[in-house]
mmCIF file with all atom_site columns, all heavy atoms in Angstrom:
data_model
loop_
_atom_site.group_PDB
_atom_site.id
_atom_site.type_symbol
_atom_site.label_atom_id
_atom_site.label_alt_id
_atom_site.label_comp_id
_atom_site.label_asym_id
_atom_site.label_entity_id
_atom_site.label_seq_id
_atom_site.pdbx_PDB_ins_code
_atom_site.Cartn_x
_atom_site.Cartn_y
_atom_site.Cartn_z
_atom_site.occupancy
_atom_site.B_iso_or_equiv
_atom_site.pdbx_formal_charge
_atom_site.auth_seq_id
_atom_site.auth_comp_id
_atom_site.auth_asym_id
_atom_site.auth_atom_id
_atom_site.pdbx_PDB_model_num
ATOM 1   N N   . ASP A 1 86  ? -30.256 -14.052 115.362 1.00 54.00 ? 94  ASP A N   1
ATOM 2   C CA  . ASP A 1 86  ? -31.366 -14.574 116.150 1.00 54.00 ? 94  ASP A CA  1
ATOM 3   C C   . ASP A 1 86  ? -31.021 -14.738 117.623 1.00 54.00 ? 94  ASP A C   1
ATOM 4   O O   . ASP A 1 86  ? -31.822 -15.239 118.409 1.00 54.00 ? 94  ASP A O   1
ATOM 5   C CB  . ASP A 1 86  ? -31.857 -15.915 115.580 1.00 54.00 ? 94  ASP A CB  1
ATOM 6   C CG  . ASP A 1 86  ? -30.752 -16.974 115.574 1.00 54.00 ? 94  ASP A CG  1
ATOM 7   O OD1 . ASP A 1 86  ? -29.607 -16.637 115.927 1.00 54.00 ? 94  ASP A OD1 1
ATOM 8   O OD2 . ASP A 1 86  ? -31.044 -18.130 115.229 1.00 54.00 ? 94  ASP A OD2 1
ATOM 9   N N   . LEU A 1 87  ? -29.835 -14.282 118.044 1.00 55.00 ? 95  LEU A N   1
ATOM 10  C CA  . LEU A 1 87  ? -29.470 -14.301 119.460 1.00 55.00 ? 95  LEU A CA  1
ATOM 11  C C   . LEU A 1 87  ? -29.683 -15.676 120.088 1.00 55.00 ? 95  LEU A C   1
ATOM 12  O O   . LEU A 1 87  ? -30.539 -15.881 120.936 1.00 55.00 ? 95  LEU A O   1
ATOM 13  C CB  . LEU A 1 87  ? -30.282 -13.251 120.228 1.00 55.00 ? 95  LEU A CB  1
ATOM 14  C CG  . LEU A 1 87  ? -30.075 -11.801 119.797 1.00 55.00 ? 95  LEU A CG  1
ATOM 15  C CD1 . LEU A 1 87  ? -30.972 -10.881 120.602 1.00 55.00 ? 95  LEU A CD1 1
ATOM 16  C CD2 . LEU A 1 87  ? -28.634 -11.387 119.971 1.00 55.00 ? 95  LEU A CD2 1
ATOM 17  N N   . ASP A 1 88  ? -28.867 -16.634 119.673 1.00 55.00 ? 96  ASP A N   1
ATOM 18  C CA  . ASP A 1 88  ? -29.019 -17.982 120.207 1.00 55.00 ? 96  ASP A CA  1
ATOM 19  C C   . ASP A 1 88  ? -28.556 -18.070 121.653 1.00 55.00 ? 96  ASP A C   1
ATOM 20  O O   . ASP A 1 88  ? -27.916 -17.175 122.185 1.00 55.00 ? 96  ASP A O   1
ATOM 21  C CB  . ASP A 1 88  ? -28.247 -18.991 119.341 1.00 55.00 ? 96  ASP A CB  1
ATOM 22  C CG  . ASP A 1 88  ? -26.782 -18.615 119.239 1.00 55.00 ? 96  ASP A CG  1
ATOM 23  O OD1 . ASP A 1 88  ? -26.078 -18.786 120.248 1.00 55.00 ? 96  ASP A OD1 1
ATOM 24  O OD2 . ASP A 1 88  ? -26.355 -18.152 118.178 1.00 55.00 ? 96  ASP A OD2 1
ATOM 25  N N   . GLU A 1 89  ? -28.895 -19.190 122.295 1.00 64.00 ? 97  GLU A N   1
ATOM 26  C CA  . GLU A 1 89  ? -28.624 -19.353 123.723 1.00 64.00 ? 97  GLU A CA  1
ATOM 27  C C   . GLU A 1 89  ? -27.143 -19.371 124.054 1.00 64.00 ? 97  GLU A C   1
ATOM 28  O O   . GLU A 1 89  ? -26.749 -19.146 125.195 1.00 64.00 ? 97  GLU A O   1
ATOM 29  C CB  . GLU A 1 89  ? -29.263 -20.651 124.231 1.00 64.00 ? 97  GLU A CB  1
ATOM 30  C CG  . GLU A 1 89  ? -28.638 -21.920 123.708 1.00 64.00 ? 97  GLU A CG  1
ATOM 31  C CD  . GLU A 1 89  ? -29.174 -22.355 122.340 1.00 64.00 ? 97  GLU A CD  1
ATOM 32  O OE1 . GLU A 1 89  ? -29.885 -21.550 121.708 1.00 64.00 ? 97  GLU A OE1 1
ATOM 33  O OE2 . GLU A 1 89  ? -28.877 -23.477 121.921 1.00 64.00 ? 97  GLU A OE2 1
ATOM 34  N N   . TYR A 1 90  ? -26.280 -19.605 123.059 1.00 65.00 ? 98  TYR A N   1
ATOM 35  C CA  . TYR A 1 90  ? -24.848 -19.649 123.327 1.00 65.00 ? 98  TYR A CA  1
ATOM 36  C C   . TYR A 1 90  ? -24.317 -18.286 123.792 1.00 65.00 ? 98  TYR A C   1
ATOM 37  O O   . TYR A 1 90  ? -23.337 -18.221 124.524 1.00 65.00 ? 98  TYR A O   1
ATOM 38  C CB  . TYR A 1 90  ? -24.077 -20.086 122.075 1.00 65.00 ? 98  TYR A CB  1
ATOM 39  C CG  . TYR A 1 90  ? -24.327 -21.527 121.682 1.00 65.00 ? 98  TYR A CG  1
ATOM 40  C CD1 . TYR A 1 90  ? -24.993 -21.841 120.508 1.00 65.00 ? 98  TYR A CD1 1
ATOM 41  C CD2 . TYR A 1 90  ? -23.879 -22.564 122.494 1.00 65.00 ? 98  TYR A CD2 1
ATOM 42  C CE1 . TYR A 1 90  ? -25.220 -23.160 120.147 1.00 65.00 ? 98  TYR A CE1 1
ATOM 43  C CE2 . TYR A 1 90  ? -24.106 -23.885 122.128 1.00 65.00 ? 98  TYR A CE2 1
ATOM 44  C CZ  . TYR A 1 90  ? -24.779 -24.179 120.969 1.00 65.00 ? 98  TYR A CZ  1
ATOM 45  O OH  . TYR A 1 90  ? -25.003 -25.480 120.626 1.00 65.00 ? 98  TYR A OH  1
ATOM 46  N N   . ALA A 1 91  ? -24.945 -17.234 123.348 1.00 66.00 ? 99  ALA A N   1
ATOM 47  C CA  . ALA A 1 91  ? -24.455 -15.910 123.725 1.00 66.00 ? 99  ALA A CA  1
ATOM 48  C C   . ALA A 1 91  ? -24.581 -15.694 125.227 1.00 66.00 ? 99  ALA A C   1
ATOM 49  O O   . ALA A 1 91  ? -23.666 -15.203 125.880 1.00 66.00 ? 99  ALA A O   1
ATOM 50  C CB  . ALA A 1 91  ? -25.218 -14.829 122.970 1.00 66.00 ? 99  ALA A CB  1
ATOM 51  N N   . PHE A 1 92  ? -25.726 -16.067 125.792 1.00 68.00 ? 100 PHE A N   1
ATOM 52  C CA  . PHE A 1 92  ? -25.895 -15.922 127.234 1.00 68.00 ? 100 PHE A CA  1
ATOM 53  C C   . PHE A 1 92  ? -24.913 -16.821 127.973 1.00 68.00 ? 100 PHE A C   1
ATOM 54  O O   . PHE A 1 92  ? -24.295 -16.419 128.960 1.00 68.00 ? 100 PHE A O   1
ATOM 55  C CB  . PHE A 1 92  ? -27.323 -16.277 127.651 1.00 68.00 ? 100 PHE A CB  1
ATOM 56  C CG  . PHE A 1 92  ? -27.542 -16.182 129.128 1.00 68.00 ? 100 PHE A CG  1
ATOM 57  C CD1 . PHE A 1 92  ? -27.674 -14.947 129.746 1.00 68.00 ? 100 PHE A CD1 1
ATOM 58  C CD2 . PHE A 1 92  ? -27.584 -17.321 129.911 1.00 68.00 ? 100 PHE A CD2 1
ATOM 59  C CE1 . PHE A 1 92  ? -27.847 -14.849 131.116 1.00 68.00 ? 100 PHE A CE1 1
ATOM 60  C CE2 . PHE A 1 92  ? -27.763 -17.234 131.280 1.00 68.00 ? 100 PHE A CE2 1
ATOM 61  C CZ  . PHE A 1 92  ? -27.897 -15.998 131.880 1.00 68.00 ? 100 PHE A CZ  1
ATOM 62  N N   . SER A 1 93  ? -24.752 -18.038 127.478 1.00 75.00 ? 101 SER A N   1
ATOM 63  C CA  . SER A 1 93  ? -23.797 -18.958 128.103 1.00 75.00 ? 101 SER A CA  1
ATOM 64  C C   . SER A 1 93  ? -22.391 -18.390 128.035 1.00 75.00 ? 101 SER A C   1
ATOM 65  O O   . SER A 1 93  ? -21.590 -18.571 128.955 1.00 75.00 ? 101 SER A O   1
ATOM 66  C CB  . SER A 1 93  ? -23.842 -20.325 127.406 1.00 75.00 ? 101 SER A CB  1
ATOM 67  O OG  . SER A 1 93  ? -25.124 -20.901 127.508 1.00 75.00 ? 101 SER A OG  1
ATOM 68  N N   . GLY A 1 94  ? -22.076 -17.696 126.953 1.00 76.00 ? 102 GLY A N   1
ATOM 69  C CA  . GLY A 1 94  ? -20.760 -17.099 126.803 1.00 76.00 ? 102 GLY A CA  1
ATOM 70  C C   . GLY A 1 94  ? -20.499 -16.028 127.844 1.00 76.00 ? 102 GLY A C   1
ATOM 71  O O   . GLY A 1 94  ? -19.395 -15.913 128.382 1.00 76.00 ? 102 GLY A O   1
ATOM 72  N N   . LEU A 1 95  ? -21.531 -15.235 128.164 1.00 74.00 ? 103 LEU A N   1
ATOM 73  C CA  . LEU A 1 95  ? -21.384 -14.215 129.196 1.00 74.00 ? 103 LEU A CA  1
ATOM 74  C C   . LEU A 1 95  ? -21.124 -14.873 130.544 1.00 74.00 ? 103 LEU A C   1
ATOM 75  O O   . LEU A 1 95  ? -20.285 -14.431 131.326 1.00 74.00 ? 103 LEU A O   1
ATOM 76  C CB  . LEU A 1 95  ? -22.642 -13.347 129.266 1.00 74.00 ? 103 LEU A CB  1
ATOM 77  C CG  . LEU A 1 95  ? -22.922 -12.450 128.064 1.00 74.00 ? 103 LEU A CG  1
ATOM 78  C CD1 . LEU A 1 95  ? -24.213 -11.675 128.283 1.00 74.00 ? 103 LEU A CD1 1
ATOM 79  C CD2 . LEU A 1 95  ? -21.770 -11.507 127.808 1.00 74.00 ? 103 LEU A CD2 1
ATOM 80  N N   . LYS A 1 96  ? -21.858 -15.941 130.826 1.00 77.00 ? 104 LYS A N   1
ATOM 81  C CA  . LYS A 1 96  ? -21.648 -16.638 132.088 1.00 77.00 ? 104 LYS A CA  1
ATOM 82  C C   . LYS A 1 96  ? -20.266 -17.278 132.141 1.00 77.00 ? 104 LYS A C   1
ATOM 83  O O   . LYS A 1 96  ? -19.686 -17.447 133.218 1.00 77.00 ? 104 LYS A O   1
ATOM 84  C CB  . LYS A 1 96  ? -22.719 -17.717 132.284 1.00 77.00 ? 104 LYS A CB  1
ATOM 85  C CG  . LYS A 1 96  ? -24.118 -17.174 132.506 1.00 77.00 ? 104 LYS A CG  1
ATOM 86  C CD  . LYS A 1 96  ? -25.081 -18.266 132.919 1.00 77.00 ? 104 LYS A CD  1
ATOM 87  C CE  . LYS A 1 96  ? -24.701 -18.846 134.264 1.00 77.00 ? 104 LYS A CE  1
ATOM 88  N NZ  . LYS A 1 96  ? -25.653 -19.868 134.734 1.00 77.00 ? 104 LYS A NZ  1
ATOM 89  N N   . ALA A 1 97  ? -19.737 -17.626 130.982 1.00 81.00 ? 105 ALA A N   1
ATOM 90  C CA  . ALA A 1 97  ? -18.422 -18.265 130.925 1.00 81.00 ? 105 ALA A CA  1
ATOM 91  C C   . ALA A 1 97  ? -17.286 -17.270 131.144 1.00 81.00 ? 105 ALA A C   1
ATOM 92  O O   . ALA A 1 97  ? -16.140 -17.658 131.323 1.00 81.00 ? 105 ALA A O   1
ATOM 93  C CB  . ALA A 1 97  ? -18.236 -18.967 129.580 1.00 81.00 ? 105 ALA A CB  1
ATOM 94  N N   . GLY A 1 98  ? -17.609 -15.975 131.107 1.00 83.00 ? 106 GLY A N   1
ATOM 95  C CA  . GLY A 1 98  ? -16.578 -14.979 131.378 1.00 83.00 ? 106 GLY A CA  1
ATOM 96  C C   . GLY A 1 98  ? -16.366 -13.941 130.305 1.00 83.00 ? 106 GLY A C   1
ATOM 97  O O   . GLY A 1 98  ? -15.504 -13.070 130.442 1.00 83.00 ? 106 GLY A O   1
ATOM 98  N N   . ALA A 1 99  ? -17.136 -13.997 129.222 1.00 86.00 ? 107 ALA A N   1
ATOM 99  C CA  . ALA A 1 99  ? -16.982 -12.999 128.160 1.00 86.00 ? 107 ALA A CA  1
ATOM 100 C C   . ALA A 1 99  ? -17.309 -11.612 128.689 1.00 86.00 ? 107 ALA A C   1
ATOM 101 O O   . ALA A 1 99  ? -18.156 -11.446 129.564 1.00 86.00 ? 107 ALA A O   1
ATOM 102 C CB  . ALA A 1 99  ? -17.897 -13.330 126.981 1.00 86.00 ? 107 ALA A CB  1
ATOM 103 N N   . SER A 1 100 ? -16.629 -10.616 128.176 1.00 83.00 ? 108 SER A N   1
ATOM 104 C CA  . SER A 1 100 ? -16.846 -9.231  128.613 1.00 83.00 ? 108 SER A CA  1
ATOM 105 C C   . SER A 1 100 ? -17.968 -8.554  127.850 1.00 83.00 ? 108 SER A C   1
ATOM 106 O O   . SER A 1 100 ? -18.340 -7.425  128.154 1.00 83.00 ? 108 SER A O   1
ATOM 107 C CB  . SER A 1 100 ? -15.553 -8.427  128.435 1.00 83.00 ? 108 SER A CB  1
ATOM 108 O OG  . SER A 1 100 ? -14.558 -8.900  129.307 1.00 83.00 ? 108 SER A OG  1
ATOM 109 N N   . GLY A 1 101 ? -18.513 -9.225  126.850 1.00 79.00 ? 109 GLY A N   1
ATOM 110 C CA  . GLY A 1 101 ? -19.607 -8.646  126.093 1.00 79.00 ? 109 GLY A CA  1
ATOM 111 C C   . GLY A 1 101 ? -19.888 -9.480  124.858 1.00 79.00 ? 109 GLY A C   1
ATOM 112 O O   . GLY A 1 101 ? -19.272 -10.531 124.655 1.00 79.00 ? 109 GLY A O   1
ATOM 113 N N   . PHE A 1 102 ? -20.812 -9.049  124.068 1.00 78.00 ? 110 PHE A N   1
ATOM 114 C CA  . PHE A 1 102 ? -21.117 -9.751  122.824 1.00 78.00 ? 110 PHE A CA  1
ATOM 115 C C   . PHE A 1 102 ? -21.687 -8.774  121.828 1.00 78.00 ? 110 PHE A C   1
ATOM 116 O O   . PHE A 1 102 ? -22.205 -7.724  122.196 1.00 78.00 ? 110 PHE A O   1
ATOM 117 C CB  . PHE A 1 102 ? -22.108 -10.896 123.063 1.00 78.00 ? 110 PHE A CB  1
ATOM 118 C CG  . PHE A 1 102 ? -23.452 -10.431 123.520 1.00 78.00 ? 110 PHE A CG  1
ATOM 119 C CD1 . PHE A 1 102 ? -24.449 -10.123 122.609 1.00 78.00 ? 110 PHE A CD1 1
ATOM 120 C CD2 . PHE A 1 102 ? -23.717 -10.296 124.867 1.00 78.00 ? 110 PHE A CD2 1
ATOM 121 C CE1 . PHE A 1 102 ? -25.685 -9.663  123.036 1.00 78.00 ? 110 PHE A CE1 1
ATOM 122 C CE2 . PHE A 1 102 ? -24.955 -9.843  125.305 1.00 78.00 ? 110 PHE A CE2 1
ATOM 123 C CZ  . PHE A 1 102 ? -25.935 -9.530  124.386 1.00 78.00 ? 110 PHE A CZ  1
ATOM 124 N N   . MET A 1 103 ? -21.572 -9.157  120.560 1.00 80.00 ? 111 MET A N   1
ATOM 125 C CA  . MET A 1 103 ? -22.091 -8.316  119.485 1.00 80.00 ? 111 MET A CA  1
ATOM 126 C C   . MET A 1 103 ? -22.631 -9.205  118.378 1.00 80.00 ? 111 MET A C   1
ATOM 127 O O   . MET A 1 103 ? -22.279 -10.385 118.278 1.00 80.00 ? 111 MET A O   1
ATOM 128 C CB  . MET A 1 103 ? -20.987 -7.415  118.930 1.00 80.00 ? 111 MET A CB  1
ATOM 129 C CG  . MET A 1 103 ? -20.284 -6.570  119.963 1.00 80.00 ? 111 MET A CG  1
ATOM 130 S SD  . MET A 1 103 ? -19.485 -5.127  119.236 1.00 80.00 ? 111 MET A SD  1
ATOM 131 C CE  . MET A 1 103 ? -20.901 -4.067  118.946 1.00 80.00 ? 111 MET A CE  1
#
Side-chain angles (χ1 to χ4, degrees):
D94 60 356
L95 298 178
D96 57 73
E97 68 276 11
Y98 292 113
F100 178 76
S101 299
L103 292 179
K104 292 189 65 177
S108 294
F110 65 89
M111 305 202 76

